């Protein structure tokens, strides 16, 4: 009954979104607010239906209804309720359902918030959002029905993928990521609406700023959370491998970040408008490409993804979306010239232009590296993979250049300035940057990349620091405020700018942490008998004993655990383990990680010889890793601050429209 | 208007769309249908490894018993949900082809009681199911996890290995390749 | 300077910013050069023993991923060392993995494996990594699973 309800909700949802699309299109053409209202309400209904369908799936999972194929494959009677719940997004069909829920949620939210505003844009915003949601409902109606039934009904299901049961964090990472992905449809829809209505001036950009920042925060948090999960749970000792799945999440983030910056210029200076439109189109397209890469089985990692019939649908959606949106952009190209004269070369606009170029370069590099194996196999038949070193080799210099721009951009004035002014303005930060390098060297840091990163990070931080000091100082002098109040009042009156500075500061922290952890770490692989120890970087790891037992939380799982004692800068006991899940013919490793602010001590259990009771361990000292997560938190905090409305409310007067919901 | 501006406002600008979209489309569609499972079973084209075991009923079993007819070796377990899905297809194949097709089950990482429970619940087709307590048969066959099905021809050579639950199409296609038509 | 009305008319282009465009072109050129010159070395070819042997001496020293099945009865393990034979049914190659390349606990005979490393002049394949290959028949993938892991969690 409940699965049927879910399936019906999906099919009706398809009808509702198609109906909404038609209403919006007609309502837009005829400037008919009643039709637009109808479309809005249809989208509210679509969201409600997505809620019903998601609820039906969650209930099926919680009640272990194995008549539903998805439940039989991803759930078992022994699965704890928390993991049953998060299995909603654990596998292909369920994650599409979850995506639909979020996509219709964003659509309903933005349509509701703008029900009295921007009447010329909203019908087309609604159309784009409705069509996007309709696609996902269609995928669930035809090739990817999450409520497919099976007969006979299994008495026991497969249980969730072992990896998903290993750590409760799996509850957090996909939702964050998906909220980011789905939220990017909103700025895309506004961009499309601006192009259709020829209202390509600052209006849509002013609206879209906050509606891009919020999904961006989720996307950033999701990617950082993924890296953290990969590090803590998967146990290979690293956090980013340029794996196609990781790249799929990074690509839209890169263009979205570029878009946020580019739109500032377009809004304020009337230039880079084509860039801005192109970037938001690229962002949305890449969210679809990302889903395609992850879910379709197209790109061969060493492990195989399941083939599915959904692949061609996504490929078609990507091609269609890009063709239509690009067509719109090209159509309106003549209107998108600069509305104000260019500034001089050494200007903030120029810095932003280079910013766009560099972000796009990284995007292309990552896209190329990810898709190149496909191209090669399609043409020559050779199967290849592009290794991580290539990605690092190409992207490292670009990121370093971006760091430099992060310092230059905010301090260069709009419209341009002379080299003399530049010299004066940047004298102190440059000095700080240059001094930071030998200081870091003296502290033991080696390698051009980390040293350059530290130098540039110091440069950026001092530039921003100078701005804050100068601004607060001016306030304090002119208004008699003390330093603290001045800083608070300065920043809260212009959250965009100072929130942005905080984000950049967070990026600097992450950059330095990544540079150091990537180059200054050490590791050793060793086999130990009981009582033996291994030494690495001031730590001593002693192997005490081996324990094999069933998990208390799930009796089907057998855990083989090495009990180790750690001595050194951090001490205590470590229990890296291998877990044997019944539905997985291999063992899942859970590493033991000891985190301190300066470094992590990381141990993975590689292999066990039960006869001789020996264990093979991979021990790593990973410096500064905690700062990567902290830096990520700073970035998120800064973005939240930037998105928060200013204390002095900026006026966006709603256009009076007959009050309807 | 300068030449750049003419380019931007003239009809040539539409070229951007196919130039960008077509290559991307080709790359994406070319990738579909590529099975990333890169390692085919090396057993294909080779004789089925010889093994002997005890069936669920306690009788001895030798692979010699399969000689002279096409055979289907199905690896399954009671805790494997897709095995439930494919079971009706196996029952159907056994009923349709009878003695013309030799069918053997290999029970993977499971207990005899659970396996009997599975058969009681979902149907016992009457073909021998082999207990493999040491997992040696699974290792011989190179099994990574149930369900897996090996299609063996009348001379004892492995023709095809299917990983995952059988579908009606695959079953009919592979049995036809062994000379057993619907 | 007066601001042009924010609508369709492009502002007059007195001397297009050729300098800036040139700078952008140079930046793109440098990046493209780094990318494409590096791609040759960065490619890891995936081959079977048959394909690798067919390439003869040209294959020596190149980083390759070799895929096949671990041949029955050929595994020799010590504390720091692993030797086995990888076969694709037609041809086979001896593989040596040192302590840094020890495979996951699921490594055993007759299992599909992918080894990444180089063919040495002695004809032994020196592996930097040994990965046990699985078919994900009934377990759907999740985001975050990584390809090149020495520990191979159910992938």
């Amino acid at each position: 009954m409940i699965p049927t309800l879910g399936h019906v909700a999906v099919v009706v949802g398809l009808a509702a979104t198609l109906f909404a699309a038609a209403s919006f299109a007609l309502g837009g053409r005829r400037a008919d607010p009643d039709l637009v209202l109808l479309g809005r309400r249809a989208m509210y209904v679509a969201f409600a239906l997505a809620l019903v369908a998601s609820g039906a799936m969650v209930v099926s999972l919680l009640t272990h209804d194995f008549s539903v194929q998805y439940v039989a494959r991803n759930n078992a009677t022994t699965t704890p309720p928390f993991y049953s719940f998060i299995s909603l997004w654990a596998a292909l069909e369920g994650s599409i359902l979850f995506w639909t829920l979020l996509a219709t949620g964003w659509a309903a939210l933005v349509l509701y918030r703008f029900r009295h505003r921007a009447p010329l844009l909203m019908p087309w915003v609604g159309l784009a959002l409705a069509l996007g949601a309709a696609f996902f409902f269609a995928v669930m109606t035809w090739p990817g029905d999450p409520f497919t039934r099976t007969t006979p009904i299994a008495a026991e299901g497969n249980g969730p993928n072992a990896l998903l049961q290993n750590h409760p964090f799996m509850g957090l990472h996909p939702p964050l990521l998906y909220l980011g992905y789905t939220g990017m449809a909103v700025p895309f829809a506004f961009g499309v609406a601006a192009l259709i209505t020829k209202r390509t001036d600052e209006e849509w950009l002013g609206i879209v700023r906050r509606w891009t920042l919020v999904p961006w925060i989720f996307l950033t948090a999701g990617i950082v959370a993924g890296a953290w999960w990969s590090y803590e749970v998967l146990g290979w000792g690293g956090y980013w491998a340029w794996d196609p799945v990781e790249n799929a999440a990074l690509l839209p983030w890169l263009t979205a970040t570029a878009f946020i910056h580019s739109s500032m210029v377009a809004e304020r200076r009337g230039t880079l408008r084509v860039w801005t439109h192109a970037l938001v189109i690229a962002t949305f397209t890449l969210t679809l490409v990302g889903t395609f890469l992850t879910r379709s089985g197209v790109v061969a990692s060493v492990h195989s993804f399941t083939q599915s019939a959904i692949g061609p649908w996504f490929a078609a959606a990507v091609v269609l979306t890009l063709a239509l949106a690009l067509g719109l952009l090209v159509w309106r190209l003549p209107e998108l010239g600069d509305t104000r004269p260019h500034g001089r070369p050494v200007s903030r606009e120029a810095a932003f232009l280079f910013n766009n170029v560099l972000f796009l370069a990284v995007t292309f590099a990552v896209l190329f590296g990810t898709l190149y194996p496909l191209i090669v196999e399609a043409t020559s038949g050779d199967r290849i993979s592009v290794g991580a070193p290539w990605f690092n080799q190409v992207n490292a210099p670009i990121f370093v250049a971006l760091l430099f721009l992060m310092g230059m951009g905010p301090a260069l004035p709009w419209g341009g300035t002379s080299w003399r002014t530049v010299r004066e303005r940047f004298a102190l930060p440059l000095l700080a940057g240059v001094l930071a390098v030998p200081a870091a060297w003296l502290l033991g840091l080696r390698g051009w990349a980390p040293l350059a990163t530290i130098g540039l990070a110091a440069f950026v931080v001092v530039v921003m620091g100078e701005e804050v000091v100068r601004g607060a100082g001016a306030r304090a002098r002119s208004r008699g405020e003390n330093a603290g109040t001045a800083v608070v009042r300065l920043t809260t009156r212009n959250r965009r700018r100072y929130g942005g500075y905080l984000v950049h500061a967070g990026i600097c922290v992450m950059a330095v942490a990544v540079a150091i952890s990537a180059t200054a770490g050490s590791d050793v692989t060793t086999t130990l008998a009981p009582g033996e120890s291994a030494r690495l970087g001031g730590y001593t790891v002693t192997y005490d004993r081996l324990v094999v037992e069933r998990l208390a939380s799930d009796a089907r799982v057998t855990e083989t655990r090495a009990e180790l004692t750690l001595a050194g800068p951090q001490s205590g006991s470590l229990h890296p383990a291998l877990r044997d899940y019944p539905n997985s013919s291999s063992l899942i490793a859970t590493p033991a990680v000891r985190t301190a602010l300066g470094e992590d001590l990381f141990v993975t259990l590689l292999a066990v010889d039960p006869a001789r009771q020996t264990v093979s361990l991979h021990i790593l000292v990973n410096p500064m890793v905690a700062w990567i997560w902290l830096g990520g938190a700073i970035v998120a905090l800064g973005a939240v601050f930037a998105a928060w409305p200013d204390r002095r409310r900026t006026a966006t007067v709603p256009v009076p429209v007959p009050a309807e919901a | 208007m300068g030449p750049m501006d003419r380019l931007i406002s003239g009809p040539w600008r539409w070229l951007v769309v196919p130039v960008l979209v077509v290559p991307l489309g080709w790359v994406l569609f070319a990738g579909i249908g590529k099975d990333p499972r890169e390692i085919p079973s090396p057993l294909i084209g080779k004789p089925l490894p010889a093994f002997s075991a005890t069936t669920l009923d306690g009788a001895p079993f030798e692979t010699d018993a399969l000689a002279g007819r096409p055979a289907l070796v199905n690896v399954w377990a009671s805790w494997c949900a897709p095995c439930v899905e494919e079971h009706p297809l196996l029952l159907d194949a056994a009923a349709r082809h009878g003695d013309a097709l030799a069918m053997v089950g290999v029970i993977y990482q499971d207990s005899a009681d659970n396996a009997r429970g599975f058969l009681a619940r979902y149907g016992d087709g009457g073909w021998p199911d082999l207990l493999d307590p040491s997992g040696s048969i699974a290792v011989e066959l190179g099994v990574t996890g149930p369900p897996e099905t090996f299609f063996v021809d009348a001379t004892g050579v492995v023709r095809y290995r299917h990983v995952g639950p059988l579908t009606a199409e695959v079953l009919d296609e592979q049995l036809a390749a062994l000379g057993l038509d619907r | 300077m007066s601001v042009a009305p924010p609508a369709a008319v492009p502002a007059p282009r007195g001397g297009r910013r050729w300098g800036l465009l040139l700078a952008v072109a140079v930046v793109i050129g440098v990046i493209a050069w780094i990318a494409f010159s590096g791609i040759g070395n960065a490619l890891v070819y995936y081959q079977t023993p048959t394909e690798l042997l067919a390439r003869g001496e040209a294959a020596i020293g190149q980083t390759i991923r070799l895929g096949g099945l671990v041949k029955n009865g050929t595994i020799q393990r010590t504390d720091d060392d692993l030797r086995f034979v990888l076969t694709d049914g037609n041809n086979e190659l001896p593989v040596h993995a040192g302590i840094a390349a020890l495979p996951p606990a699921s490594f055993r005979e007759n299992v599909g494996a992918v080894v990444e490393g180089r063919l040495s002049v002695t004809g032994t394949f020196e592996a930097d990594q040994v990965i046990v290959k699985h078919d994900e028949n009934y377990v759907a993938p999740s985001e975050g699973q990584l390809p090149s892991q020495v520990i191979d969690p159910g992938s």
Side-chain angles (χ1 to χ4, degrees), chain A residues 158 236 243 302 383 390 583 586, chain C residues 35 46 65 133 138 146-147 154:
Chain A
N158 255 15
W236 55 286
D243 179 273
V302 168
R383 286 150 301 172
W390 181 83
N583 64 349
S586 75
Chain C
Y46 175 86
R65 279 195 182 167
K133 184 72 162 51
Y138 51 82
L146 291 175

Side-chain angles (χ1 to χ4, degrees), chain A residues 240-242 385-397, chain C residues 34 38-39 41-44 63 65 116 148:
Chain A
W240 193 267
W242 298 108
S385 62
V386 178
W390 181 83
F391 287 99
N392 290 330
Q393 188 185 352
V394 176
N395 289 329
Chain C
I34 296 178
I39 194 84
N41 302 331
L43 296 180
V44 179
T63 305
R65 279 195 182 167
E116 183 169 324
S148 48

Side-chain angles (χ1 to χ4, degrees), chain C residues 130-142:
Chain C
V130 176
I131 304 155
V132 177
K133 184 72 162 51
H134 291 286
D135 289 319
E136 283 216 33
N137 32 17
Y138 51 82
V139 178
S142 64

